[in-house]
Amino acid sequence: MRKIRIVSIIMLAVLLIGIACVAYGVTGNNIYVNAVNMMGSDKKTAMTLIQSPDKLTELGSVSKVGADNMKGFLKDFGLDAGVVDKAVDERAAFETAQANAKNRDLFFAYAQSVDDTVTEENYNDLIKDHDRSDAMRKDMAMQELGITDEAEYDALAGNETLLAMYRENLPKLLENKHMTNAVPVQFIGVVLVVMALSYFLIQAMDIKPRARTRAANPKVTKVTTFLLNYALFIIMGLILVIVSIIRIDFLSMNNILNILQNASTKGILALGCAGLIVLAGTDLSIGRVLGVSAAVTASLVQATTYASRMYPTMVTSLGNLGLLIPLFASIAVAVAFSMINGFGVAKLHLHAFIVTLGTQLIAYGVNCLYIESQPSGTAQALSTFDPNFLNVAAGAIYLGGIRIPLVVIYFLALAAIVWVIWNKTKLGKNMFAVGGNTEAAAVSGVNVAKTIMLVYLMAGVLYGIAAFLEAARITSVGANTGLNYETDAISAVVVGGVSFSGGVGTIQGVVIGAVILQAIVYALQFLGVNPYIQYIIRGLIIILAVSIDVRKYIVKK
């Protein structure tokens, strides 16, 4: 109990630090937004103007941004207050005079005062005569400003004084660490907040056990059990053998590595989804959650030389160690959605199908809004990534001249970690107990709600990692990234022998299922099978896998 209290205090501190980091990031980003408004620019081109101020040819209207705001912005650069006040006030007076000269009633009264031939009847003729009316408007503005020298008026019209101040001082914004570090710190804060809230949400789970007994599984012969458990593997293995006979080069080293590479990210998704299916649940939101997590990753790893990047204030590369920020941000986003799913299943007792269907739509909407929020104002895909990110997430190592993609190593390493969790930890034991018989597990003292939440938490972490790696693999993240990925992940899990009835499954089966399923897809493409027929075959494989699973469940009963 004391240990839990200490950890809770630590997590409370983490939560507060996370909130502080988010606040720091928001206020830092506001510095850039304020600069954008002061320049009268848009977010897409503002950073270009800050880095190359000679390209700045016009500024925001003083009347729109506010004279006090503009004065404060310029004074923050350390400029003389008197000089700033004079320049801004003169420009504000000029804009007021210009507005008055365009006012119909005021201009008509002035026109009559300087030319008694102007009447209501011929006023429209005056307006159409632009040379005459424009000269008259200029004279009216100069008179209001008390200026007799046209050169002085033209200098005000060109805003030369303020432009010179901006051009000389805008680059100093790049020295403002609060602005340039705002985005990474903000996402660190998001990670800490999600981590802390996930902890407290899991600790809040406490469902009273309900007693119920179930008959023990019947014994079957070893041969029957083997054929029943591995029938799908045998069938798919035979398919691959046939393809290899038809095309001898199918099992070349390059093809095998390509299969493993393409299977890896979806295999990582399958590792997360497998635990949910062991709990007799499912997750329809996998693809869309990956999409929004990948979008967050992509926005943080865009090359700093890319003018249309999502966060223009990130003017320096994150570096290899800094890549932990987009990785943890991706995980945090995925965990947030998984915690919603887990809470719905564990505490609200919603069916996993329903709650994950809802979060699937929510995640898709969030992804679209996030991508459309980029400075360009368009929904263009996030691309042009930093080379460091691509090297770490989508690079390769060479062993004896053989190129081994890093994502394959990541997949196998994560599979090993999840295997340990499933087979050597209390969580794994409780997970299988809850999936096999929820009531019996509760009677045995298992905290069912907490177990469910932890499994969903683990799934979210794996989804976030997969999204990080997938962004690097596809090199362009759009609104449709992740579409139908849940189908591939669930297929791999079911093909790998994880039972929809709950309580049955192995990590090695999931890994083999993901690889074999991808091998089948690759084989069909290799043979040039019609893409629509490929969908039919993949659908038949899923039906066959579930049919075998149901048959195993019937035998057990």
Side-chain angles (χ1 to χ4, degrees), residues 420-433 445-447 451 454:
V420 171
I421 294 174
W422 276 30
N423 296 279
K424 302 297 180 181
T425 67
K426 184 179 178 180
L427 173 60
K429 177 183 177 181
N430 291 345
M431 179 183 72
F432 282 101
V446 176
N447 189 325
T451 299
L454 286 172

Side-chain angles (χ1 to χ4, degrees), residues 398-442:
Y398 290 85
L399 294 177
I402 299 175
R403 182 183 182 277
I404 301 178
L406 288 175
V407 68
V408 176
I409 298 175
Y410 298 148
F411 173 39
L412 296 178
L414 289 170
I417 293 171
V418 177
W419 183 90
V420 171
I421 294 174
W422 276 30
N423 296 279
K424 302 297 180 181
T425 67
K426 184 179 178 180
L427 173 60
K429 177 183 177 181
N430 291 345
M431 179 183 72
F432 282 101
V434 172
N437 189 323
T438 304
E439 290 78 8

